[in-house]
Amino acid sequence: MAVKRIFVKKKKGFDIAAKNLLHDLKETLNISSLEDLSVLIRYDVEGMDAADFEKAVKSIFSEPMVDEVFLENHEETGTCFAVEYLPGQYDQRADSAAQCIQLLTMKTRPNIATATVYALSGDLTDAEVKAIQDYIINPVDTRLASNAPRDHLAMDVHAPDPVALVKGFTDLNDVELKQMIADFGFAMKFEDLKFTQGYFKEEGRDPYIAELRVIDTYWSDHCRHTTFLTQLDEISFGDDAANAKVKQVYGDYLDARETVYKGRKAKDICLMDMATIYTKFAKKQGLLAGLDESEEINACSIKKDITVNGKKKPYIIMFKNETHNHPTEIEPFGGAATCLGGAIRDPLSGRTYVYQAMRVTGAGDITEPISATMENKLPQKKISTEAAHGYSSYGNQIGLATGLVDEIFHPGYKAKRMEIGAVIAAAPAENVIRECPERDDIVLMLGGRTGRDGIGGATGSSKSHDDTSITECGAEVQKGNPLTERKLQRLFRNPEFSQRIKRCNDFGAGGVCVAVGELTDGLDIDLDAVPKKYEGLNGTELCISESQERMAVVIEKSDLETVLKLAEAENLEAVKIADVTDTARMRM
């Protein structure tokens, strides 16, 4: 079936978003010649007959009371340009429309692509139009779209490249290893790669590129917390009153170390040890009777008896905070949305239900003129406003209340934004079963599919960035899908499902290799079984691509049929992707 195209525009009086953008452009860019602005949503639809399409136009693509609809080659007056997501980026508008049409017609889901068309009125120069485009388009996730009709919507797919063997790796000298870090864009430092080379020398072989990418992911600052584990061997303090207090606290830390590590090897003095020492000290003193401990670490958790309907019942309560400074810096809407989504996913993987959130952010001066924007960065106002929209969009769709929202304005946040989301969650203790995976258990993947849009998030946030980062980091910030996460929440609240989970992990950082790899020591992972957004992904991409709203769960093989039916009832895709082994090797 041919590709059908429609344009949808809010009627006068309902075009609030367009009026707000018009005011923002005139004020922020100081373009007085911009007289008016219209915003249209363009839908390209493939796989629908004429009758079904006509129904969808009036019930899904538009609301007749507030929208105007134009078919095919509609042209607005003035200067027009269209903006679309980069290939592979998740388009929630298109996905939701396709799902609604499938419900409407009870037929095969159509292919849909969307773009946003901006029509500018006024005597604008080419430079002013370019300034408006640069303000609206963030090259990390969007681009100018062609206005030409489309013959088809399917992505052009090439056969995936084979996973290459890095021939001669074990024989590289130090200069060549350093060059390799630059050539491959590794987040690893030279010492890390040198250590890796030594490992493969002991293995007696050269590695595949996928193996190096996996190690790079595991050793990223995001996964390994390298900065916080850096040994501090020289610490000095100033002479003022504030430093005197800090020095006193540091002395308390050293005293606590004496108690905690007495009779066993002490950990390095580092920020991570400072942050965690009190919990270890208090536990040794018998002060943490309610601490919930297990080999499965999803979030900070405690046990507490809670009165429910007049009766006390044991509950697991979990706390989690997530920083998304780097993603929000380069793509504010998606970065802040996944900050909240990421904070939810950890306690959710612990089978608890998140019911309250908090957001604390830090920005520079959002009133400064756009000319004061630091080179190769987005304006502070754009970061703050779009991040607020991204966070609230995700929270509203998943149904999560955020009791505290606070933004701190300080020049120190101009070079690097602060974006923190924190959540609290709870579940009846009887729903949380934690057991060690055993040979012949299986691993299921639940939820969203994988694509190239999730490659490099963990390593990207660990790299040093330069003036090329804004155009090269698109894959590092994914678009969240709160509707899928909400379905996962409902599934995980069902005791019939949650009590069958032996261990669980989310796909936040590192994708399959980390989410599945952390579940247990011995695993055989079938990458061909991993559900994909589109064909053409090779083995390296499949094993390191992160993705929003996916879970890896270990269950007994005998529970497979029941678990698949429970997932299907929530309209969630569930696929077996791995077997638990006793090899103490992760084989993909």
Side-chain angles (χ1 to χ4, degrees):
M1 296 182 189
V3 175
K4 301 174 176 64
R5 173 171 287 185
I6 62 167
F7 298 83
V8 180
K9 180 171 75 168
K10 294 295 178 190
K11 294 178 179 177
K12 293 293 183 184
F14 297 97
D15 54 346
I16 298 169
K19 294 304 180 191
N20 287 342
L21 179 59
L22 174 65
H23 175 76
D24 185 19
L25 292 173
K26 294 180 76 167
E27 180 184 77
T28 304
L29 302 181
N30 194 28
I31 301 178
S32 57
S33 55
L34 179 60
E35 296 172 0
D36 202 2
L37 178 148
S38 296
V39 178
L40 300 88
I41 304 301
R42 188 181 81 192
Y43 294 92
D44 287 326
V45 186
E46 182 181 45
M48 293 186 71
D49 61 39
D52 287 337
F53 181 71
E54 189 174 345
K55 280 189 217 171
V57 166
K58 296 176 182 176
S59 59
I60 292 171
F61 293 123
S62 69
E63 297 177 83
M65 295 295 291
V66 300
D67 290 325
E68 295 180 86
V69 177
F70 309 95
L71 298 178
E72 297 302 333
N73 297 319
H74 170 74
E75 291 186 9
E76 290 280 306
T77 57
T79 302
C80 297
F81 63 92
V83 178
E84 65 183 1
Y85 284 126
L86 295 175
Q89 282 279 3
Y90 176 65
D91 184 344
Q92 187 178 7
R93 187 192 299 275
D95 183 36
S96 297
Q99 291 186 56
C100 289
I101 288 169
Q102 189 176 29
L103 288 172
L104 175 72
T105 64
M106 301 305 290
K107 298 177 183 176
T108 303
R109 188 177 299 183
N111 292 325
I112 297 178
T114 73
T116 304
V117 179
Y118 299 90
L120 314 173
S121 299
D123 188 17
L124 298 166
T125 66
D126 291 344
E128 288 172 330
V129 173
K130 179 70 166 55
I132 292 170
Q133 289 177 343
D134 289 344
Y135 186 72
I136 290 174
I137 297 171
N138 181 353
V140 163
D141 72 330
T142 51
R143 67 182 183 185
L144 279 174
S146 169
N147 293 319
R150 302 179 69 165
D151 296 326
H152 63 85
L153 299 182
M155 287 183 63
D156 293 327
V157 174
H158 304 286
D161 297 324
V163 179
L165 185 69
V166 187
K167 294 180 181 179
F169 174 75
T170 53
D171 296 324
L172 295 178
N173 61 37
D174 289 356
V175 173
E176 291 168 328
L177 283 176
K178 290 175 181 177
Q179 185 59 44
M180 186 179 185
I181 291 173
D183 292 344
F184 284 79
F186 287 140
M188 279 191 281
K189 302 293 186 264
F190 166 72
E191 292 78 9
D192 298 325
L193 194 58
K194 184 79 172 174
F195 181 88
T196 303
Q197 185 187 47
Y199 169 80
F200 282 104
K201 282 181 179 179
E202 290 182 11
E203 289 280 294
R205 65 179 179 87
D206 286 325
Y208 286 92
I209 184 60
E211 293 176 294
L212 296 182
R213 292 290 184 198
V214 167
I215 293 170
D216 197 43
T217 300
Y218 265 93
W219 281 4
S220 66
D221 205 21
H222 187 104
C223 296
R224 190 183 179 207
H225 304 297
T226 311
T227 300
F228 292 103
L229 291 169
T230 300
Q231 183 177 347
L232 304 177
D233 52 18
E234 189 176 322
I235 300 173
S236 58
F237 303 91
D239 297 325
D240 57 10
N243 271 283
K245 186 65 178 174
V246 174
K247 188 174 182 180
Q248 178 190 331
V249 172
Y250 181 67
D252 294 340
Y253 159 68
L254 295 178
D255 291 341
R257 278 176 58 88
E258 291 292 325
T259 302
V260 168
Y261 298 123
K262 188 173 183 179
R264 61 193 181 99
K265 187 177 184 298
K267 297 201 172 191
D268 291 336
I269 292 177
C270 61
L271 296 176
M272 183 67 79
D273 194 53
M274 292 180 186
T276 58
I277 196 71
Y278 177 72
T279 304
K280 299 170 186 172
F281 177 81
K283 179 187 169 187
K284 202 153 190 175
Q285 301 297 315
L287 302 175
L288 297 180
L291 184 66
D292 176 52
E293 293 185 85
S294 75
E295 289 186 14
E296 186 181 1
I297 303 171
N298 308 93
C300 176
S301 55
I302 61 173
K303 300 172 184 173
K304 182 74 176 175
D305 287 342
I306 296 176
T307 302
V308 180
N309 297 327
K311 294 182 181 179
K312 284 202 168 183
K313 189 173 183 179
Y315 266 70
I316 300 290
I317 302 172
M318 287 191 172
F319 308 86
K320 183 67 169 74
N321 74 283
E322 188 92 8
T323 57
H324 268 53
N325 307 335
H326 162 70
T328 308
E329 181 81 31
I330 65 173
E331 203 286 90
F333 186 98
T338 59
C339 178
L340 178 59
I344 292 170
R345 279 188 293 278
D346 282 314
L348 177 58
S349 68
R351 282 77 91 193
T352 57
Y353 181 79
V354 173
Y355 62 88
Q356 185 66 255
M358 175 180 78
R359 179 177 184 239
V360 179
T361 57
D365 182 1
I366 61 173
T367 66
E368 68 181 14
I370 198 166
S371 57
T373 302
M374 292 178 69
E375 190 177 3
N376 302 311
K377 287 176 65 70
L378 299 172
Q380 292 296 304
K381 178 180 178 181
K382 185 177 179 70
I383 295 174
S384 284
T385 54
E386 290 195 8
H389 291 155
Y391 183 99
S392 62
S393 172
Y394 202 101
N396 288 337
Q397 289 182 78
I398 203 168
L400 179 63
T402 302
L404 173 68
V405 177
D406 194 12
E407 183 142 83
I408 303 163
F409 300 104
H410 187 278
Y413 294 119
K414 184 173 183 179
K416 188 63 176 285
R417 179 178 178 79
M418 177 175 70
E419 185 75 35
I420 298 173
V423 298
I424 183 170
E430 64 188 17
N431 287 4
V432 184
I433 310 298
R434 295 190 180 115
E435 297 178 356
C436 291
E438 298 175 335
R439 179 179 173 176
D440 296 329
D441 286 340
I442 59 176
V443 180
L444 298 188
M445 180 184 292
L446 294 161
R449 296 186 162 207
T450 193
R452 291 192 179 92
D453 51 322
I455 295 173
T459 52
S461 59
S462 308
K463 292 177 187 174
S464 299
H465 288 270
D466 56 28
D467 58 0
T468 65
S469 298
I470 196 71
T471 56
E472 294 179 355
C473 297
E476 296 170 7
V477 187
Q478 310 144 61
K479 291 287 178 291
N481 185 350
L483 302 182
T484 296
E485 187 149 301
R486 192 169 185 176
K487 288 186 280 187
L488 285 167
Q489 281 189 316
R490 286 198 300 264
L491 179 63
F492 275 61
R493 289 186 90 177
N494 183 347
E496 192 179 355
F497 171 80
S498 63
Q499 291 175 6
R500 285 179 162 82
I501 299 174
K502 299 180 77 170
R503 188 165 287 183
C504 180
N505 209 354
D506 73 271
F507 279 77
V512 170
C513 72
V514 175
V516 181
E518 287 181 344
L519 292 171
T520 189
D521 290 340
L523 289 157
D524 283 351
I525 302 171
D526 180 8
L527 293 175
D528 285 337
V530 173
K532 302 180 286 292
K533 293 178 180 176
Y534 36 79
E535 294 302 318
L537 299 173
N538 69 15
T540 305
E541 293 169 322
L542 285 170
C543 75
I544 67 170
S545 176
E546 304 168 16
S547 61
Q548 306 296 342
E549 296 79 40
R550 281 195 302 178
M551 293 288 175
V553 298
V554 179
I555 63 170
E556 292 183 1
K557 192 180 294 185
S558 59
D559 286 331
L560 176 60
E561 187 177 345
T562 300
V563 168
L564 291 180
K565 286 181 179 177
L566 291 169
E568 185 181 17
E570 290 292 354
N571 193 26
L572 281 167
E573 197 166 16
V575 179
K576 179 204 162 190
I577 63 165
D579 292 293
V580 177
T581 71
D582 56 7
T583 61
R585 291 259 176 165
M586 177 171 67
R587 301 183 296 205
M588 291 186 277

